[in-house]
């Protein structure tokens, strides 16, 4: 059985300050937990309702899992993992992606999955972007968090130091269909509601947009994760 203090600690990991204090985060569900284990991430504890073959774990009653789960429907396995320490942060190889003020955990999780799909190893986030180790973000990555490094940095400094071509996704840029993307560069995506901040836009000359083909009144904009998928697909088109 888990003590009340242990249960309280795990529940507190839904908050960023407790993740930072403890150096731990929560991953829920077999897919996410196994992806992290297979990628060499260090588990503090694995709690499960059924015996496992591949890792040290603690068997608990389903009622306990329900108490410590951050999801509306609790899974049979929950892992508490140590936060990683990333080194060798660089935009000098291939294409990188930067996110300015992304607030929705589901959007960030989907974007991390997109980075994994397109082979982008480093994702750069503004400090006010939702924490990638938020339980909802981790869950929505469906394991891709194991292979994509999320760095929270000053995007202004990142853009100024980037030695490749920098692109800003905006509503009023040139069509992405007309752009010949290089093999090395940086794509900046803005928040769901306000786009890229003015201070960053001032530093980015190359502004691109996904043109709308709707007639009359149509959608005002695309979901940031959807827009990211379209632009990355174009960037990596052979």
């Amino acid at each position: 059985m888990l003590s009340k203090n242990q249960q309280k600690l795990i529940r507190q990991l839904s908050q960023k300050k407790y993740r930072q204090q403890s150096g731990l985060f929560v991953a829920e569900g077999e897919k996410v937990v196994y992806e992290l284990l297979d990628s060499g991430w260090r588990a503090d504890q694995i709690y499960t309702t059924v015996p496992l073959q591949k890792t040290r774990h603690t068997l608990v009653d389903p009622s306990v899992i329900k108490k410590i789960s951050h999801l509306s429907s609790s899974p049979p396995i929950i892992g508490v993992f140590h936060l990683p320490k990333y080194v060798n942060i660089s935009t000098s190889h291939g294409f990188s992606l930067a996110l300015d003020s992304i607030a929705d955990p589901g959007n960030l999780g989907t974007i991390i999955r997109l980075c994994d799909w397109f082979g982008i190893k480093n994702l750069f986030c503004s400090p006010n972007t939702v924490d990638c180790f938020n339980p909802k973000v981790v869950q929505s990555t469906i394991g891709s968090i194991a292979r994509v490094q999320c760095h929270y940095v000053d995007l202004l400094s990142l853009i100024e130091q980037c030695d490749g071509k920098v692109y800003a996704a905006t509503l009023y840029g040139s069509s992405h269909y007309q752009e010949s993307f290089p093999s090395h560069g940086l794509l900046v995506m803005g928040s769901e509601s306000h786009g890229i901040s003015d201070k960053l836009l001032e530093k980015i000359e190359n502004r691109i947009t996904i043109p709308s083909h709707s007639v009359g009144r149509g959608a005002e904009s695309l979901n940031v994760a959807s827009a990211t998928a379209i632009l990355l697909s174009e960037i990596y088109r052979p």
Side-chain angles (χ1 to χ4, degrees):
M1 292 294 292
L2 275 72
S3 69
K4 289 185 176 179
N5 283 338
Q6 289 174 311
Q7 294 179 31
K8 180 180 179 181
L9 170 62
I10 296 169
R11 289 195 299 269
Q12 286 177 332
L13 293 177
S14 64
Q15 299 179 50
K16 183 177 179 179
K17 67 176 182 179
Y18 290 111
R19 292 194 293 273
Q20 292 177 330
Q21 288 174 9
S22 64
L24 301 171
F25 72 98
V26 172
E28 303 194 37
E30 295 179 61
K31 173 69 174 174
V32 181
V33 169
Y34 286 150
E35 289 273 10
L36 289 167
L37 291 173
D38 290 342
S39 297
W41 288 52
R42 189 158 64 100
D44 181 71
Q45 291 287 342
I46 303 292
Y47 301 102
T48 177
T49 59
V50 294
L52 305 177
Q53 298 294 325
K54 62 191 304 181
T55 186
R56 177 179 59 86
H57 61 279
T58 301
L59 270 177
V60 294
D61 189 84
S63 63
V64 175
I65 286 284
K66 188 174 183 179
K67 288 180 181 178
I68 63 175
S69 175
H70 299 89
L71 306 177
S72 56
S73 179
S74 56
I77 178 171
I78 291 177
V80 179
F81 286 84
H82 291 269
L83 290 171
K85 295 180 180 179
Y86 297 133
V87 294
N88 300 325
I89 305 171
S90 174
T91 59
S92 60
H93 301 288
F95 236 92
S96 297
L97 182 65
L99 305 179
D100 184 26
S101 307
I102 303 301
D104 182 81
N107 280 339
L108 179 57
T110 300
I111 291 171
I112 292 172
R113 289 182 67 194
L114 287 167
C115 287
D116 189 20
W117 182 262
F118 286 101
I120 297 174
K121 302 301 182 184
N122 293 299
L123 174 61
F124 299 94
C125 305
S126 63
N128 58 344
T129 289
V130 61
D131 182 24
C132 66
F133 294 107
N134 175 306
K136 293 181 180 178
V137 176
V138 174
Q139 181 68 18
S140 61
T141 70
I142 315 182
S144 289
I145 190 71
R147 291 174 293 275
V148 177
Q149 297 185 9
C150 299
H151 311 286
Y152 288 78
V153 300
D154 178 0
L155 294 187
L156 192 59
S157 297
L158 180 76
I159 291 168
E160 291 174 342
Q161 295 170 13
C162 182
D163 57 2
K165 202 168 184 179
V166 181
Y167 294 89
T170 70
L171 289 174
Y172 306 104
S174 61
S175 170
H176 73 293
Y177 296 120
Q178 299 172 354
E179 182 67 37
S180 296
F181 293 97
S183 59
H184 169 54
L186 177 68
L187 172 64
V188 183
M189 305 295 297
S191 74
E192 297 90 341
S193 54
H194 302 295
I196 300 170
S197 65
D198 291 340
K199 68 176 183 179
L200 293 183
L201 278 178
E202 290 174 1
K203 297 293 183 178
I204 305 174
E205 294 181 2
N206 307 294
R207 303 181 186 185
I208 56 174
T209 192
I210 302 168
S212 171
H213 295 278
S214 63
V215 178
R217 291 193 63 182
E220 292 183 357
S221 63
L222 287 172
N223 170 282
V224 65
S226 299
T228 301
I230 293 169
L231 292 176
L232 290 182
S233 181
E234 189 69 18
I235 287 169
Y236 284 92
R237 182 167 57 88

